[in-house]
Amino acid sequence: MTERINHTCFFCSQPIIEKKTLEHIIPNSLLGKLGIKEQTVTSKDEIQYSRIKVPAHSKCNSEFGSIYEDTIIKLLDNPDQLYEALRQEEIGMMIQYGPDQSVTQLISTWLSKIFYGLFYNDSLKSQDDDWRNISKEIVSSENFKIVQTSYQNNHGFCLPSSLFVFKTTNENFDLKTLIYPQGILLKIKSLVLVLVIADGFLTKNYIQGDNLTSLHEYMGKVEHEQPDFPVHNLALAEILALRLAIKKSPSFIVANDEILNMSFSTSVNNPQEYYKVDEEEINEYRTQILSEFGIQN
């Protein structure tokens, strides 16, 4: 299987007959701007960010590896404007979901690409057999196949996923991926992006409005009192704990260029009560997640 993946295009899932190209999962130009080309990301293995690459057709690499990411890098060049644009769009939770040029979908698609790309890379290169098998399962999943189909049809989009954006005063780079629930955190200077992948906006449905405002305010308070504290981990722990406490599962009906997000559909008579989250359970998950980050709650 490893040999097959090594000659399969990351973007469109088709065999690479001609000479393959290698796509940087995080754009090389962005790594250079951040000064982290030689820094390493550590999961089960340690690898420099600049060496995280996946096989791709030259055409796919050009269209979605270069042209698409040029748009992303331009957005990242003005983090304050990007932050405001994402905040303005954060209440949107679509039922009919397809490719569009909203800032939220552009960033969500990009984060999804990084998430799957990291596991694609590990499925090819990891020296840890168990981790390589886990990575192979993730890149063989139906969710990733749907994403690849969108690229194959000459447009890119991720599955309906909850995106959150925060700001910090600390400008240290950070990148975290999670297997369950599947998610990714990317911190670029003061901008913090958190994506809960393929959750059908269920997490976003619970943490919005006053709840989301309270989280922003809490992060600001902690950072004011402890300027060196990695408050982005607080946001990630809160979002993950909530997702783990939501008992509802996402549901999609997929066409070539559109997804019907059926995640909010239900046959129960009292959905508000039936799907109510348990605050005590959230607290337990939050404490467990923070302890994994080395943080006492």
Side-chain angles (χ1 to χ4, degrees):
M1 182 176 177
T2 301
E3 184 65 22
R4 178 178 63 79
I5 293 178
N6 198 31
H7 291 85
T8 298
C9 179
F10 167 78
F11 290 106
C12 71
S13 76
Q14 298 303 300
I16 302 173
I17 307 301
E18 77 275 18
K19 184 177 180 180
K20 70 183 178 185
T21 62
L22 293 174
E23 158 70 359
H24 283 91
I25 287 305
I26 302 176
N28 214 28
S29 57
L30 179 59
L31 294 175
K33 284 183 180 181
L34 296 172
I36 60 168
K37 278 189 177 184
E38 306 310 314
Q39 288 188 25
T40 57
V41 56
T42 303
S43 55
K44 294 294 182 181
D45 303 280
E46 190 171 283
I47 185 171
Q48 292 177 339
Y49 284 110
S50 58
R51 295 178 181 270
I52 304 174
K53 303 175 187 178
V54 292
H57 291 116
S58 58
K59 182 175 183 291
C60 294
N61 199 341
S62 174
E63 289 179 353
F64 295 108
S66 299
I67 297 173
Y68 179 83
E69 285 187 331
D70 284 346
T71 303
I72 299 298
I73 289 171
K74 286 178 183 176
L75 290 172
L76 293 171
D77 279 342
N78 193 333
D80 291 337
Q81 184 175 317
L82 175 57
Y83 174 80
E84 292 301 329
L86 291 173
R87 289 302 307 269
Q88 289 174 16
E89 294 180 359
E90 65 189 6
I91 61 171
M93 291 179 282
M94 294 168 286
I95 302 301
Q96 286 186 300
Y97 186 88
D100 67 44
Q101 294 300 304
S102 68
V103 177
T104 296
Q105 189 164 132
L106 289 170
I107 294 296
S108 296
T109 301
W110 182 58
L111 291 175
S112 177
K113 177 236 176 179
I114 293 174
F115 174 85
Y116 286 115
L118 289 167
F119 285 102
Y120 207 102
N121 176 83
D122 284 356
S123 73
L124 294 171
K125 302 173 186 175
S126 178
Q127 300 302 306
D128 184 296
D129 289 342
D130 290 338
W131 184 250
R132 188 170 63 250
N133 288 334
I134 289 170
S135 299
K136 285 178 180 177
E137 285 182 20
I138 291 173
V139 299
S140 300
S141 68
E142 286 303 313
N143 282 354
F144 183 48
K145 289 176 184 176
I146 292 168
V147 173
Q148 286 181 310
T149 299
S150 76
Y151 287 121
Q152 190 177 340
N153 290 338
N154 204 32
H155 53 70
F157 65 98
C158 66
L159 290 155
S161 306
S162 294
L163 177 66
F164 301 91
V165 61
F166 305 93
K167 288 184 76 174
T168 70
T169 57
N170 185 309
E171 295 198 346
N172 294 334
F173 178 83
D174 200 2
L175 172 64
K176 288 183 171 71
T177 56
L178 307 119
I179 296 175
Y180 182 74
Q182 288 193 357
I184 180 170
L185 175 145
L186 183 61
K187 185 176 184 297
I188 298 178
K189 294 190 179 296
S190 63
L191 195 70
V192 180
L193 302 166
V194 177
L195 187 72
V196 186
I197 294 175
D199 74 332
F201 304 125
L202 290 171
T203 315
K204 200 177 193 181
N205 186 46
Y206 278 85
I207 186 166
Q208 59 174 310
D210 291 343
N211 289 333
L212 188 54
T213 299
S214 295
L215 180 54
H216 280 270
E217 291 174 349
Y218 176 63
M219 289 174 62
K221 178 183 176 183
V222 172
E223 194 165 42
H224 177 73
E225 295 172 352
Q226 305 177 61
D228 294 329
F229 190 86
V231 294
H232 59 285
N233 287 328
L234 294 179
L236 182 59
E238 190 67 31
I239 291 164
L240 293 182
L242 175 62
R243 177 64 193 104
L244 289 169
I246 297 172
K247 301 308 179 187
K248 207 165 191 295
S249 299
S251 175
F252 311 118
I253 298 176
V254 182
N256 283 339
D257 60 353
E258 184 180 74
I259 294 173
L260 289 180
N261 180 22
M262 307 299 291
S263 303
F264 298 124
S265 300
T266 180
S267 59
V268 301
N269 294 324
N270 55 342
Q272 295 282 347
E273 188 62 32
Y274 188 85
Y275 296 114
K276 186 177 180 180
V277 293
D278 186 328
E279 292 294 335
E280 195 171 306
E281 189 175 30
I282 292 176
N283 289 334
E284 290 175 1
Y285 283 133
R286 185 194 300 113
T287 299
Q288 177 185 334
I289 293 164
L290 288 173
S291 67
E292 291 175 4
F293 297 156
I295 298 170
Q296 295 299 316
N297 189 16

